[in-house]
Amino acid sequence: MSAPLHMVKLCVGADVVDDLREWQGGRIAERRKAGLDPRPRHVTRMWPRRSDEILAGGSLFWVFRGAVLARQRIEDLQEVIGQDGIRRCAIVMSPEIVLVETRPRRPFQGWRYLDAKDAPPDIRNQSADTVTLPPKLAIALDDLGVVAR
């Protein structure tokens, strides 16, 4: 079996991973209350052409202020038709947000594919007390060869 294909996306409106957790927690509660599938989702305009590879174990890696800091496993891709009649893709994810080793990432629009060999590894021994350094500091420490975990 080949390595899964991932996606990477800017986490617009969130400065740190806890911002994403808080925002998704609110959406999960709303969807659960409405009797809908509560899993977090991100709706995007473009449908991934390599969807089979993504659904074979891929994750969505989130970029916060210039650095990849976290990921969520992609569980499904669902068609969503907007009020404008345009077909879009809902990326349905696991609610678990996994911290990863900090990797710098320049700004881009939309999302990009991320090969497994280029994906940052998970941070081991995560807990609710795990401290995330500000992305710029983590990148600077990484550039100096200092392990910032």
Side-chain angles (χ1 to χ4, degrees):
M1 184 170 144
S2 63
L5 182 65
H6 305 293
M7 299 173 80
V8 63
K9 171 118 183 60
L10 300 180
C11 196
V12 178
D15 291 331
V16 294
V17 177
D18 282 342
D19 293 341
L20 177 64
R21 283 189 177 110
E22 184 177 325
W23 187 86
Q24 284 188 356
R27 303 298 81 67
I28 287 168
E30 288 173 5
R31 292 183 62 80
R32 186 172 282 130
K33 186 175 180 180
L36 301 171
D37 178 353
R39 294 177 296 175
R41 61 200 59 240
H42 175 77
V43 177
T44 183
R45 199 167 43 95
M46 302 301 292
W47 191 278
R49 292 184 181 165
R50 299 172 67 184
S51 58
D52 290 341
E53 294 170 81
I54 291 168
L55 293 173
S59 289
L60 179 62
F61 283 79
W62 291 107
V63 178
F64 298 83
R65 296 178 128 335
V68 178
L69 299 178
R71 71 173 180 85
Q72 287 177 277
R73 185 176 174 104
I74 297 172
E75 296 183 345
D76 199 8
L77 299 173
Q78 298 175 349
E79 182 179 68
V80 175
I81 305 296
Q83 292 179 339
D84 54 7
I86 295 175
R87 175 183 185 240
R88 292 181 171 81
C89 177
I91 304 166
V92 181
M93 299 165 283
S94 164
E96 179 185 16
I97 298 173
V98 179
L99 299 178
V100 299
E101 289 184 10
T102 302
R103 292 278 170 85
R105 186 73 185 217
R106 291 196 171 147
F108 58 92
Q109 291 186 359
W111 52 264
R112 299 285 184 268
Y113 291 118
L114 179 65
D115 288 324
K117 66 178 176 47
D118 299 324
D122 295 351
I123 294 175
R124 304 260 187 245
N125 303 322
Q126 296 183 42
S127 71
D129 297 330
T130 300
V131 175
T132 303
L133 294 174
K136 286 184 181 180
L137 176 59
I139 291 168
L141 291 173
D142 185 58
D143 288 344
L144 292 170
V146 177
V147 179
R149 296 188 215 329

